[in-house]
């Protein structure tokens, strides 16, 4: 199917060129990002994992990923604001001396969406949720530029389907904002062979078509974008629906 792919079992793609690549996954939790982290680990990548949860469950996830990854470094510290996100992107995220791929997982829970009725409240919430990933995108892209790395930054919003009109409006504004950020960052770094893509909720005006709906879907897309065949794609926001109800 893909020129850069070999298969270890029928229908299961393996991107051999990813072996040994340096991959950052932020926003990992017991429910979100496990499929994705395992997919890169199974490709023998060197992984830097960040989670806000210092729990036995997260320790078990880290141990599971470490079984197949070439090397794993895990950090359990929250990225509660932009300053913390920048410090992490400048420091621990670069523990392998640089990155080839960075995946920032942004989880929005049903509880967080409730009670945001006004446009101002929705816009403030969207700005708050996307801030850390946006700042880390710029820091990581700058480091990729300095190290002459042809890299990928992939920002993934994981949220449940909207339950009412206010949540539908929130999802629409979030997607629009994410698309604007992704397009601008992709244009800014295109000359340095650094690609920026994203996953967001499907907007009301988006045409019907293929839609990511599970953790394995997103993991497969991340692998493809990080592979040689994905190097022509930048500035895209891929549709997702209901991923938060199935994990990632």
């Amino acid at each position: 199917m893909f020129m850069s792919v070999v298969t270890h079992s029928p229908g299961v793609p393996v991107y051999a060129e990813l072996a040994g690549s340096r991959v950052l996954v932020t926003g990992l939790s017991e429910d979100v990002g496990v499929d994705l982290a395992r997919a890169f680990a199974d490709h023998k990548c060197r992984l830097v994992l960040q989670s806000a949860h210092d729990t036995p469950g997260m320790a078990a996830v880290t141990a599971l990923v470490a079984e197949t990854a070439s090397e794993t470094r895990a950090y359990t510290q929250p990225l509660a604001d932009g300053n913390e996100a920048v410090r992490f992107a400048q420091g621990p995220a670069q523990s392998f001396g640089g990155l080839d791929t960075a995946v920032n997982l942004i989880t929005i829970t049903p509880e967080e969406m409730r009670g945001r009725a006004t446009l101002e409240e929705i816009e403030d919430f969207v700005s708050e949720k996307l801030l850390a990933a946006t700042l880390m995108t710029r820091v990581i892209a700058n480091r990729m530029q300095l190290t002459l790395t042809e890299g990928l930054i992939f920002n993934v919003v994981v949220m449940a389907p909207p339950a009412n009109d206010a949540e539908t409006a929130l999802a629409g504004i979030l997607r629009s904002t994410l698309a604007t950020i992704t397009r601008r960052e992709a244009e800014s770094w295109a000359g340095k062979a650094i690609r920026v893509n994203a996953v967001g909720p499907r907007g009301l005006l988006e045409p019907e078509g293929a839609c990511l709906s599970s953790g394995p879907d997103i993991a497969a897309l991340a692998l493809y974008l990080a592979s040689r065949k994905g190097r022509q794609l930048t500035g895209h926001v891929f549709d997702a629906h209901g991923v938060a109800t199935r994990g990632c």
Side-chain angles (χ1 to χ4, degrees), residues 207-232:
E208 293 296 325
C211 190
L212 304 167
S213 61
S214 70
D217 284 351
I218 291 178
L221 176 59
L223 290 175
Y224 177 74
L225 292 174
S227 75
R228 291 192 188 102
K229 284 296 287 184
R231 288 180 183 173
Q232 78 279 16

Side-chain angles (χ1 to χ4, degrees), residues 8 13-15 18-19 21 23 25 33-45 47 64-65 68-69 215-224 248:
H8 67 281
V14 176
Y15 301 89
L18 294 181
S21 65
V23 179
V25 180
V34 178
D35 287 316
L36 186 144
R38 290 190 67 183
F40 280 106
D42 288 345
H43 281 73
K44 304 301 178 186
C45 297
L47 296 182
L64 180 66
V65 171
T68 54
D217 284 351
I218 291 178
L221 176 59
L223 290 175
Y224 177 74
C248 180

